[in-house]
Amino acid sequence: MGVDKIARLFKRVAFALRAKRHAADLAAELEAHRAHVQAHLEAEGLPRAEAAARSRQAMGNMTLAREDAREVWLGATLQRAWRDAVYGARALRREPTFALTALLALTLGIATTTTVFSIVDAELWKPLPFPDAHELVGVHATKPGGYDEISASEFLEWRAQSRLAKYVAANATSRRVLRLDRAESVTMRPITPDFLDVLGVIPAIGRGFTDEDAHGARTVILTDAGWTRLFERVPSALGRSVSIDEQAYTIVGITAGTRFEIMTEPDFFGVLDLTADPARERVARTLDIYGRLHDGVGIGEAQAELRSLAARTAGGPAGARSGRSLRLGDLQHDVSGYNWREMYFFFGAAALLLLLSCLNVTGLLLARALRRQREFAIRGALGGGLTALVRQLIVEGALLAVPASAAGIVASVWLLRILSVQIPPGHLERGGHIQLDLRATAFVLGLCGLTTIVLALTPLFFARRLNLNLTLGQGGRAIGPSRRHRSARSLLLVGQVTTTVVLLTAAALFAFSFFRVSHTPLGFDPANRVALRLSLSGPRYSTDAALAGFAARLLEQARAVGGVRNAAIGSSSPLDSRSGAAVQIVVPERPRPMQGQEPTALIRTVSPKYFRTLGIGLSAGREFTDADVAGAPRVAIVNELLARRMFPGETAIGRQLEVIPRLRTGWTSRPGSVVIVGVVSDVRNFSVNEVEFNNLYLAFDQAPAPAFELVAAAGVPPSEAIAGLRAAAARTDSALPVTTVATLNQRVQDAMRGDRFNLIVVAFFALGATLLAAIGIYGAMACSIEERTREFGIRIALGALPRALVVSALSSSLKIGLIGGSAGIAISFALARLLGNALYLVPGQHGGLLYGVKATDPAALASAAITLFTVVFLSGLLPARQAVRIDPLIALKTE
């Protein structure tokens, strides 16, 4: 819109605000013109009275002249809109049941859709919180069987030679020990000095890293999360010297107010020095690579250049490159692309509920339009054109849609506050920073405008073409619905029933899925089991002997705690997000698979009595013993799945496995052969709803892990055992904090929290749909009974049985239920076929919403159908029973 148009609009608005003054000026101007004509006629010799009459005749109707002049004023348009709004408000006030029902239906649909839109927008569509986020990219290396790591030497060569992008790197987040008033467990992520600069992040307090920091300076940057948790957001934290792993570091910056949605935000950023050879070796193949494209460079160009650069370094120290490929992709897609199926599924369910709300309100408006046909006829007889009627209907639609949208926004804010607490941790990849921002508000306003137009005009489209003589000739008698009107109302009801069946089917599928998840064997006994996680770091625990010695002392202290029946140590335990690293395994005496095609297993290192402590069954062989120490023959225990897959029809005890590490550092990097001495039950590693994993267990003393869990089986309440185990850890080393504490029962509940949350959300949609469908059917049946009052009165007077009247009144609703139910089941089948495996866990691609149940499960479809027909029957039965209570005399007098 140009400046001149804006200026003219402001002038028109200012003109409209002084409408009364301008109306008086217009009347005075017209009267002055008439007086001038009269004076001219008097000057020609006409008498005064005749001159006045001729002047008025020459000017015409002064009232119409004033009205024609006001037609071009903005104020007149506003006045007409105001009159329409006042008339519409009075009409709605006379029909409070209709108004309240329509408002509640629209509010439910708009609130639900807006809430889900806000979540989907925050997770998938909203740009990353960095300047020019569209220029940011992520680099991934893949090989047959999964991801491959990128070495420091590769990264440095790409960085030095690339002309199209600026690349930065971050090492894996590690857990450290911070000494303040007491020992605190903190997370640190080493990054290249220009990492924050490339992202476009400037510390709000202090400074970022410089090249000088990368060469020996012990400096850290405090994140917003760490600043809040550790220093209560005190600005004096800047410049403070802190002890991390018994080494002094200086805080040089604080990224206050910045959210790092591309990663799990650590407490500190450290400096990653890739220039020294020892550093290169230590971080080899463990880097996460990010980049920012230069201006005008596309992702395709940058990827072609990167692959060309990688081909030159194929023989570098990163190892063999057989089947390895590099992918450079949009960083936002990489961050939020894993769970897009789940997001769109729930957004689609919310859209269905909004559609159902609109269908419900449209049905109400159609019934209301039938009652107003006489009003429309009178307006037409008095000269009211189609434009005026359309304007009136749009204004009345706005009187419904605008308050419903306002209520929907308030309800969305309330729902988002609840969901921000109820959404399981890790359910949203970008951290769940959800709010009703400008984008969501614009979505609501657009939705409000569309809803207003569509709902307001549908009665005009479906209403009968009015015959003024016929309609007005009815006198005071009711005007029955036309065939077109009845067909439209039935179609809307069928649409409501169909949509409801689809949502009820989804709810039944999620209910059956949750039942199967909650009854899935875990492979261990969570009752009265607790787990405390510790992380050993610093110079004192830099050797295997130091780690094994600490573990032995800790177990001695833990087993002495009152009420503890058994205690053991493991690098992780079941249903833990850190449940083992991945290694590849082969049987030495068999032909070796192609590189990258070797079977994969999750590896853990555990102490003796680990399986007994957790209640994991021993199927064959033995557990680890105190004799399985460093220097003794390397032994391993496998789960039943691995034994079946690697040794089908044979015994696994005494057989050898060769372990091929994926990483070059850490306790999992020890290659070589191990002898299988035991087979144990399969357990759930990460979640209850997961694919089956091969599990490989090593003896802790032969492969000590610096981060591990102390697991214990207690004969007392878990809270008492936890207090004693904390004290045992403090007695072993008071400088080491306990990182996390959990009961395994709580861990099982947390593992099912996502499935439970999904069930609650879908059940909410289905419940709302069922309620709307019930209201729609009840309202339609009540209108139908009212329209057939005279018919029922005559039939009662002629001796019709009450049962026959009820069946006659109920048959239409059952017919609608049958047609809509059949269509809903057919659409459910079609959606199941269309979605394919999108609802199920596909390793390496996406998570699963359903477990142990097919999308076309007959029991789910039957449950939805039975629920629907029950609702249809009850919703139709209540108004149908009114038919038998009609007094024939009263029914005939009403006409």
Side-chain angles (χ1 to χ4, degrees), residues 328-628:
L328 183 144
D330 178 71
L331 187 57
Q332 177 166 338
H333 180 270
D334 289 348
V335 171
S336 58
Y338 188 78
N339 63 346
W340 65 268
R341 293 169 179 83
E342 181 178 348
M343 294 291 104
Y344 283 134
F345 175 83
F346 288 113
F347 190 53
L352 282 179
L353 190 60
L354 176 63
L355 173 63
L356 187 59
S357 301
C358 293
L359 292 175
N360 188 284
V361 176
T362 302
L364 294 174
L365 288 173
L366 280 178
R368 186 169 182 254
L370 178 64
R371 297 193 297 271
R372 299 178 67 187
Q373 286 190 76
R374 181 174 177 81
E375 172 199 337
F376 294 158
I378 293 175
R379 291 171 69 101
L382 295 177
L386 180 62
T387 302
L389 181 58
V390 169
R391 186 180 64 243
Q392 177 67 46
L393 291 176
I394 290 178
V395 170
E396 290 182 6
L399 290 175
L400 292 175
V402 173
S405 296
I409 290 177
V410 174
S412 295
V413 173
W414 180 67
L415 286 172
L416 288 174
R417 289 179 180 175
I418 295 176
L419 290 176
S420 62
V421 178
Q422 295 299 322
I423 292 177
H427 211 62
L428 299 178
E429 296 184 31
R430 290 178 61 176
H433 301 286
I434 308 167
Q435 56 185 355
L436 194 68
D437 58 7
L438 183 60
R439 293 161 62 93
T441 304
F443 172 78
V444 175
L445 293 177
L447 200 60
C448 171
L450 181 63
T451 304
T452 299
I453 296 173
V454 173
L455 295 184
L457 298 183
T458 45
L460 186 64
F461 179 76
F462 284 111
R464 70 160 67 198
R465 295 168 184 170
L466 298 177
N467 184 321
L468 299 184
N469 293 329
L470 177 63
T471 304
L472 295 177
Q474 297 290 330
R477 287 178 290 171
I479 304 171
S482 65
R483 176 178 298 179
R484 185 183 183 196
H485 194 113
R486 287 194 297 269
S487 299
R489 188 167 62 189
S490 298
L491 185 62
L492 289 172
L493 288 175
V494 168
Q496 292 185 56
V497 172
T498 300
T499 307
T500 303
V501 169
V502 173
L503 290 174
L504 281 174
T505 301
L509 288 173
F510 277 81
F512 291 167
S513 174
F514 183 76
F515 177 82
R516 288 189 169 86
V517 165
S518 60
H519 289 79
T520 296
L522 301 173
F524 67 96
D525 184 4
N528 292 327
R529 265 73 176 184
V530 298
L532 288 75
R533 190 161 191 84
L534 297 95
S535 181
L536 309 184
S537 57
R540 287 189 298 154
Y541 299 108
S542 59
T543 65
D544 286 352
L547 295 174
F550 176 87
R553 296 192 302 273
L554 177 62
L555 284 176
E556 183 180 355
Q557 293 285 344
R559 288 166 180 164
V561 172
V564 172
R565 299 198 305 266
N566 269 317
I569 281 176
S571 55
S572 62
S573 59
L575 295 181
D576 181 24
S577 60
R578 297 166 291 262
S579 286
V583 295
Q584 291 171 311
I585 53 175
V586 295
V587 180
E589 65 267 20
R590 294 178 183 171
R592 196 181 188 93
M594 292 181 60
Q595 186 173 3
Q597 300 296 324
E598 300 93 343
T600 302
L602 295 179
I603 187 172
R604 289 189 181 95
T605 177
V606 302
S607 72
K609 299 184 180 181
Y610 174 86
F611 304 104
R612 190 181 315 169
T613 300
L614 292 178
I616 300 175
L618 182 66
S619 303
R622 65 174 177 86
E623 290 195 47
F624 294 128
T625 67
D626 294 335
D628 299 318

Side-chain angles (χ1 to χ4, degrees), residues 44-55:
E44 292 180 351
L46 289 177
R48 181 181 183 87
E50 186 177 352
R54 288 194 177 185
S55 68

Side-chain angles (χ1 to χ4, degrees), residues 761-773:
V761 172
V762 176
F764 171 77
F765 291 152
L767 181 61
T770 305
L771 179 62
L772 289 174

Side-chain angles (χ1 to χ4, degrees), residues 34 37-56:
R34 189 205 62 78
V37 173
Q38 178 182 345
H40 179 72
L41 293 174
E42 288 179 1
E44 292 180 351
L46 289 177
R48 181 181 183 87
E50 186 177 352
R54 288 194 177 185
S55 68
R56 286 193 292 270

